[in-house]
Amino acid sequence: MEPVSLQDFVCALDPASLPRVLRVCSGVYFQGSIYEISGNECCLSTGDLIKVTHIRLQKVVCENPGTGQTTELAPNFQGHFSPLTGRQSYGTLEELVYAATQSSKSLPIHFMSTHRITTKARVVPQKQPLKLEAVEMHQGACCARCVLDSGAQQVFLHLPLSQKGPFWKLEPGPPRTLLQVLQDPTMRDTLLTCSAFPWRSLILKPQYEVEAIMHLRRTVVKIPSTLEVDVEDVTVSSQHIHFIQPLLLSEALARGGPFPLATEILEVPQGSPNFLSPWLRSLHKGQRLCLRGVASPPWRFLASTRGRKVPRHFMISGAYRGKLRRRPREFPTAYDLLGALQPGQPLRVVTTKDCEGDELENLGFASLAVGDRLEVLGSGQALGKHERDLDVLVCQRLGEQTGEEEAWEDEEVQDQEQILLPLYFSGGFVEELSDARRYSLQDLTAQFSLPCEVKVVAKDPRHPADPLPSFPGLQLEEKILEPFLVVSLDSDPEMCFEIPPRWLDLTVVEVEELPGQPSGALPTATVEELTEAFYYSLRKLPAFESQAPPPRPPKSKGLSEQKQQMHKEKGFKSSQVSELQEPPLLPKLRTKSLPKVTQDSSDLYSEVPGRKKGRRTTMPITEDSDDEHDYEEILEQFSKTL
C-alpha cells in the first residue's frame, strides 16, 4: 500500500476490518498544540508502528465550495442530504432535458431547483427533489411530467420546458442521513444539497478520533485524524509483532484478573519508601512478579508500639492469627473517657493526677486525688460557674475495695458521690482491667472499640519473623479498608507479601507464565512495618479527618479579670512613682544608687527580710492589702534618695 494521509486512510477505512497496523512514513511533532491541550497524541516519529483499534466520529465540517464558508455539524445531525451529479447548473428545464438526452443516461432523471416553483396544482419548495419521467404535450404545450414524492403520496406535475431554474441534477435515490453519506465510499468529496442550509451545494469533511496502541504506552493513544502525517498499512506483514502495553498494579486490581498473572517490573515509583519490609529491596526494574490475586480480608489495622522512646508503626492484616491480651488503656482527658465508653460495658478507671474542684468551676465535686477510683456513667450537661451550660462527663466515685461483689453492692447504695468532669478536663486516668483472656485480632476488634491497648502473647504461626510479640505493648489505632494484591517473586516463589497499589503502584508488563510457581495458597506476611511519615499520612486520610475533635477548654474568666486588675494596679502605681520624682533626674539617680548597692551587697540582702506588709500602710496606695508586690518599697527607696 502506498503512503496516504491519515485523514484519507481513516475516511476510507471500513470499521469492520479493525484492528489495522500502520507505519508512520512522515512524523510530526506539534509542541504546545491543541492536541496536547485536549489530551490527544501529537508526537509521532517516522517509523513508529500504531495499532488502530477504534475510530470515533468527532464532528463534520460542512463547507460551501463556492464561497469557502464552513460550519460544524454534530454527529447526531438530523438533516437529509441528496447528492449532486456535477457542479454544473441548468437555467431551464429544456437545457436539463437536452443535457440528459445527449449523455448516455436516459429518462427518468432526478433534479431540484434552488428556487421555489409555483404551479396551479401546488407550490414546490426549493431544493425539493423531483423526478422527471417523460416529456409530453399537456394542454397544447410541451411539458415535463415530474413526480413529487411527499412521503405519504406521489404528486404528478406538468412543468413547461421553459420553466426557469437554476436546476441541478441529483443522483437517483431517496435523501440520505449524515451517517449514511459518510459510510458510503462513493459519496466522498461529492457535492450534496440539504434543505437545512441556504447554500446550493456543499461538501462534508468528517473529522475522527483514532484510538490506537503503541509500544510501551500504558494507555490507549488518541490521535486526531486531521494530524498531518502519512501512514502505510502494514497489517499483513506485521502479524508477528506484539505490542508491549505497560500495566499499573492499580489497573490490574481494577479489572479483577485473570489471576495468577505473570508480570515483569518496568518502573518503580520514585520517592522515599513507605514500608520497611525486606521484600521492598527486591522490587526493581526487570524483577519478575506473580500477581496471585486480591488479598482477603481487605481491612488492615494501624498500630504503634508502647513503652519505647521512639515508637515503631505497623500495618497488621485482618488475616493475622496471633493471640492478643488486653492492656489497661490510658486516657488523658475526660473526652477520651467518653469516647471509650461502650453500651453495656462498664468502664472503671483510676486517676493518676491530683485536681482541685476550684480548677473546674465547682461542678459538683471537691477534688480528685491520685488513686481515686471512678466509674464512667455517661455524658450530660451542667450549669457552670458563669451561668452557662457545659458538656460534662458523669462519673461515680468508688470505694477502695476491689472485686466484682463490692462493685455490685456499691451500685445499690443511694448516697454515692457523683462527679461531673468537663469534657475538656485534662487529667490522667488508667483503666481498671482484670481481663486475662487471649483474643484473636478479629474477636478483639469486634468486642472493643479503637484505640485499644494490647499485648501480643503468641505470634502468627504462619509468620516466623513476627516482630509484634517482642514489644511490651501495642496500641491498635485505626481500622482502614484498602484492597491489596498478593504478590510473589520469581526468584523466591515461596516468599509472598501484600502490596497496596494505592501507595505502591508499580508499572509492569505481562509476560509468559513463570515456570516453577507453586499452586494453591501460600503463607503471606501479615505484618508490615511503616515509616513514620507514611504512618502519619495514613492518619490524615479523609476517613479519619471526619472524626470530631475534642472540645477546646474555655478561657478562665476569673484569671483574665485578675490579669486585667493587675495591669490596672501596675499603671496606677507607676503613675504615683512618676509624681514623686522628676523624670530628668531619674537616670542620674539610678546610676548613683546602683554602685552603692554593688559595693555593699550585704546591705541589700539584710534589708529584704525587713520588708513587711505592715510598712505599706504609710503609702497612699495601701487600699489593696492583698497585693503582695513590692512597688511601695521601691517607691520608698527612691523617695529617700531624692
Side-chain angles (χ1 to χ4, degrees):
M1 174 182 175
E2 295 295 329
V4 296
S5 67
L6 182 61
Q7 174 71 15
D8 293 341
F9 176 82
V10 174
C11 291
L13 180 63
D14 181 9
S17 65
L18 294 177
R20 309 294 296 180
V21 179
L22 307 180
R23 178 187 289 115
V24 178
C25 297
S26 60
V28 63
Y29 177 73
F30 292 158
Q31 184 177 5
S33 67
I34 187 64
Y35 306 121
E36 283 183 328
I37 297 174
S38 62
N40 291 342
E41 178 68 26
C42 67
C43 176
L44 295 176
S45 302
T46 302
D48 283 350
L49 293 179
I50 58 176
K51 186 177 183 179
V52 179
T53 59
H54 187 71
I55 59 172
R56 181 179 291 106
L57 180 64
Q58 295 289 95
K59 62 182 178 180
V60 178
V61 177
C62 184
E63 180 183 353
N64 185 343
T67 63
Q69 185 180 358
T70 61
T71 185
E72 292 184 0
L73 303 180
N76 57 351
F77 178 71
Q78 300 298 321
H80 289 77
F81 300 86
S82 297
L84 302 176
T85 57
R87 298 177 179 269
Q88 182 181 0
S89 61
Y90 303 92
T92 62
L93 276 179
E94 185 177 5
E95 295 178 6
L96 176 63
V97 173
Y98 178 78
T101 56
Q102 293 297 321
S103 64
S104 58
K105 294 183 179 179
S106 59
L107 299 179
I109 59 175
H110 295 77
F111 71 99
M112 71 163 190
S113 174
T114 55
H115 293 82
R116 186 175 58 179
I117 301 175
T118 303
T119 64
K120 295 181 179 179
R122 62 179 302 162
V123 175
V124 180
Q126 62 178 359
K127 297 186 179 181
Q128 179 68 42
L130 296 170
K131 182 172 68 171
L132 195 157
E133 292 186 333
V135 177
E136 59 185 15
M137 298 296 296
H138 179 72
Q139 295 180 357
C142 187
C143 298
R145 189 183 67 196
C146 303
V147 178
L148 173 64
D149 191 354
S150 60
Q153 60 179 354
Q154 290 184 345
V155 179
F156 291 91
L157 301 174
H158 287 83
L159 301 178
L161 295 181
S162 60
Q163 179 72 43
K164 294 184 179 181
F167 299 102
W168 297 77
K169 288 182 62 177
L170 302 177
E171 291 289 343
R176 309 182 189 187
T177 64
L178 177 62
L179 293 181
Q180 289 175 340
V181 173
L182 297 179
Q183 293 173 358
D184 189 351
T186 62
M187 304 291 291
R188 289 184 56 195
D189 299 330
T190 300
L191 288 176
L192 304 170
T193 181
C194 179
S195 59
F197 295 92
W199 307 332
R200 292 181 298 180
S201 60
L202 53 89
I203 298 176
L204 298 180
K205 296 182 177 180
Q207 295 184 8
Y208 296 89
E209 181 183 70
V210 180
E211 295 184 0
I213 298 174
M214 297 183 66
H215 275 301
L216 298 178
R217 287 298 186 95
R218 184 176 54 83
T219 58
V220 174
V221 178
K222 296 180 179 180
I223 307 172
S225 63
T226 54
L227 195 64
E228 296 180 0
V229 59
D230 292 340
V231 295
E232 179 184 4
D233 191 342
V234 292
T235 304
V236 177
S237 60
S238 304
Q239 298 294 328
H240 63 285
I241 296 178
H242 176 66
F243 286 82
I244 299 177
Q245 188 173 6
L247 178 71
L248 290 175
L249 291 187
S250 57
E251 296 172 344
L253 179 65
R255 74 184 190 183
F259 297 114
L261 180 64
T263 62
E264 181 179 326
I265 298 179
L266 293 179
E267 184 180 0
V268 179
Q270 300 295 325
S272 57
N274 295 330
F275 297 89
L276 300 177
S277 303
W279 49 261
L280 192 64
R281 297 189 296 269
S282 302
L283 302 182
H284 53 80
K285 183 178 180 180
Q287 174 66 55
R288 292 201 169 191
L289 306 175
C290 181
L291 309 184
R292 296 192 166 273
V294 183
S296 179
W299 41 270
R300 302 289 185 276
F301 289 96
L302 301 180
S304 298
T305 58
R306 311 292 284 180
R308 285 174 168 261
K309 292 184 179 180
V310 180
R312 296 169 63 180
H313 310 286
F314 296 91
M315 180 182 291
I316 306 176
S317 170
Y320 183 73
R321 294 186 182 180
K323 295 298 180 181
L324 305 93
R325 185 175 291 158
R326 295 178 62 202
R327 294 180 71 250
R329 291 174 288 179
E330 297 180 4
F331 305 99
T333 66
Y335 179 80
D336 297 311
L337 283 175
L338 181 61
L341 184 62
Q342 296 294 322
Q345 297 180 4
L347 178 59
R348 296 179 179 180
V349 296
V350 178
T351 60
T352 60
K353 180 181 178 182
D354 293 332
C355 179
E356 295 296 333
D358 295 339
E359 301 177 13
L360 300 178
E361 304 186 6
N362 294 323
L363 286 174
F365 76 101
S367 64
L368 282 179
V370 175
D372 284 352
R373 301 174 61 242
L374 303 177
E375 181 173 356
V376 182
L377 301 180
S379 62
Q381 281 194 335
L383 191 63
K385 181 178 180 180
H386 302 288
E387 302 296 329
R388 58 183 179 183
D389 291 335
L390 293 177
D391 293 329
V392 297
L393 182 69
V394 182
C395 302
Q396 182 174 274
R397 193 191 297 271
L398 302 178
E400 296 182 0
Q401 300 179 5
T402 59
E404 296 185 0
E405 296 181 359
E406 176 271 333
W408 290 108
E409 291 175 0
D410 284 346
E411 294 177 0
E412 299 175 358
V413 181
Q414 300 296 327
D415 58 350
Q416 284 184 333
E417 181 183 3
Q418 280 195 348
I419 297 176
L420 305 180
L421 299 177
L423 293 185
Y424 61 80
F425 170 63
S426 177
F429 306 92
V430 176
E431 181 181 16
E432 272 191 357
L433 188 62
S434 59
D435 187 2
R437 291 179 54 191
R438 292 156 59 102
Y439 295 89
S440 66
L441 181 61
Q442 184 175 1
D443 293 340
L444 180 71
T445 54
Q447 298 181 34
F448 304 99
S449 61
L450 298 179
C452 183
E453 297 276 350
V454 298
K455 173 70 173 73
V456 179
V457 295
K459 66 180 181 180
D460 189 341
R462 302 176 305 169
H463 190 190
D466 185 0
L468 300 184
S470 62
F471 302 111
L474 201 68
Q475 177 162 317
L476 302 178
E477 299 282 0
E478 303 284 354
K479 179 180 180 180
I480 62 175
L481 185 66
E482 186 68 29
F484 281 63
L485 282 176
V486 179
V487 179
S488 65
L489 300 175
D490 178 34
S491 56
D492 188 3
E494 300 293 337
M495 181 181 180
C496 284
F497 49 92
E498 298 176 353
I499 292 181
R502 179 178 179 182
W503 301 305
L504 187 56
D505 206 2
L506 303 176
T507 303
V508 299
V509 61
E510 296 185 36
V511 296
E512 297 181 359
E513 185 175 354
L514 303 177
Q517 290 293 325
S519 59
L522 295 176
T524 306
T526 54
V527 179
E528 303 293 352
E529 186 170 0
L530 311 178
T531 62
E532 185 177 18
F534 180 54
Y535 169 78
Y536 286 110
S537 68
L538 291 180
R539 298 297 305 275
K540 293 181 181 179
L541 291 178
F544 306 145
E545 292 178 353
S546 61
Q547 300 175 0
R552 174 182 293 182
K555 294 182 179 180
S556 176
K557 190 173 182 181
L559 181 60
S560 61
E561 290 177 350
Q562 182 180 358
K563 289 183 178 180
Q564 292 176 2
Q565 184 178 359
M566 290 172 58
H567 287 305
K568 291 180 181 179
E569 292 174 355
K570 289 180 180 179
F572 177 71
K573 294 172 184 177
S574 61
S575 64
Q576 294 292 333
V577 173
S578 62
E579 291 177 0
L580 294 176
Q581 60 186 0
E582 296 181 5
L585 299 177
L586 183 59
K588 297 180 180 180
L589 295 174
R590 193 171 185 179
T591 56
K592 292 180 180 179
S593 60
L594 285 177
K596 294 180 180 180
V597 175
T598 56
Q599 290 174 5
D600 189 3
S601 61
S602 61
D603 295 338
L604 173 65
Y605 290 98
S606 62
E607 291 181 3
V608 171
R611 296 175 182 173
K612 297 182 180 179
K613 295 181 180 178
R615 296 180 63 181
R616 298 176 191 172
T617 57
T618 61
M619 305 307 297
I621 56 174
T622 55
E623 300 177 9
D624 189 3
S625 60
D626 295 334
D627 194 348
E628 296 182 8
H629 294 285
D630 294 335
Y631 297 112
E632 292 83 356
E633 286 78 4
I634 298 174
L635 179 60
E636 185 177 350
Q637 295 292 335
F638 282 123
S639 300
K640 291 180 180 180
T641 305
L642 291 171

